Amino acid sequence: MPIDYHTHNYRCGHAVGTLEEYILSAIDKGMEQIGLSDHMPLLHISHEENPDSAMPMDELPRYVEECLSLKEKYKGRIEVRVGLEGDYIEGCEEKIEKIVNGYPWDYVIGSVHFLGTWDVTDFRQVHRWEGRRIVDVFEQYFDAIRKAAATGFYDYIGHIDAIKRFSGKPEEDVTPLEDAALQAVKKHDLAFELNSAGYYAPCKEMYPSLSILERANAYGIPVTYGSDAHHPDKVGQKGQDAQTMLKNAGYSHIATFEGRKRVLKPF
């Protein structure tokens, strides 16, 4: 892929490597653009309780400063985009808005990891599925995706069906839930991502599934690509497979961002 808009670094506590190492990895792979998008600081639970879920709040300005410095340093070699994976957490909208509006982002990813205090993407919290109907959790998750899309905080939705990571699909048909989320993304003029990290998760399928990708294309929703790399070597992972999947779903252009503005480029 010519771009990768979803990467992390050591600051979040569960990735390794510096921002510069991710940039150099993208250069080595011949990419045109690399997006830096570490996890937004936690807002509804303390960092002390979850020290390896996101960067501490006092690291946020340092993160942005380093991103901007590297963007300038590598100008002419690769286009560096300064981003953030901005968790949507219901009830924290004012705090999220301050972060989104407080820094010169090129783009902000709207991702849902938490349902309340439960991080549904954390392998250490898989036990919290016990005693729950899978479809009920899917309903709550996709409701959060719709609410995230409606906030106006984000430029695209990240790993839109990441809820499947550990659960698998419910016995019930969740197509209406998926479609309602896609329709919210369309209504609020957002893009979404094809995230290749799902291939390496227990669900062994990219986020989203080909079925969702095909429906998104039918709705006219722009798509971007992110590896969700947590190690510099993972930048662009499964990029060729992602291109093939996008083409099979009917896509010919990919969304890029600069200064919160979206530009579609052929791939």
Side-chain angles (χ1 to χ4, degrees), residues 10-28:
Y10 74 91
R11 278 185 174 87
C12 70
H14 60 278
V16 299
T18 64
L19 292 170
E20 190 161 21
E21 287 173 326
Y22 286 81
I23 293 170
L24 291 172
S25 179
I27 291 172
D28 287 344

Side-chain angles (χ1 to χ4, degrees), residues 132-204:
R132 301 175 189 261
R133 292 178 66 235
I134 293 175
V135 70
D136 291 342
V137 182
F138 269 61
E139 287 176 357
Q140 188 179 357
Y141 175 85
F142 283 110
D143 178 63
I145 293 288
R146 295 196 302 272
K147 289 173 178 173
T151 62
F153 300 158
Y154 308 111
D155 299 290
Y156 71 84
I157 297 296
H159 44 59
I160 196 168
D161 64 345
I163 189 63
K164 71 188 179 187
R165 181 176 187 180
F166 296 113
S167 67
K169 286 289 185 76
E171 294 180 2
E172 297 84 354
D173 181 16
V174 294
T175 302
L177 300 177
E178 297 166 347
D179 278 355
L182 290 174
Q183 289 160 12
V185 173
K186 175 65 176 178
K187 177 181 177 181
H188 298 287
D189 192 27
L190 302 182
F192 77 120
E193 74 173 355
L194 178 59
N195 182 312
S196 58
Y199 181 86
Y200 300 97
C203 61
K204 298 192 180 304

Side-chain angles (χ1 to χ4, degrees), residues 5 7 9 11 19 35-41 55-57 59-68 71 80-87 95-109 152-155 257-262:
Y5 267 52
T7 63
N9 70 96
R11 278 185 174 87
L19 292 170
L36 308 174
S37 59
D38 207 15
H39 289 283
M40 180 184 76
M55 75 175 97
M57 186 64 75
E59 278 294 321
L60 182 59
R62 300 188 190 111
Y63 164 73
V64 176
E65 183 178 1
E66 185 179 357
C67 287
L68 291 171
K71 183 175 186 175
V80 176
R81 297 292 185 257
V82 181
L84 181 75
E85 185 170 19
D87 267 68
K95 293 178 181 179
I96 298 169
E97 187 173 20
K98 286 181 180 178
I99 292 174
V100 169
N101 292 335
Y103 296 92
W105 308 113
D106 285 313
Y107 66 100
V108 179
I109 308 171
F153 300 158
Y154 308 111
D155 299 290
F257 300 87
E258 186 172 17
R260 307 298 303 274
K261 294 183 179 179
R262 184 174 69 221

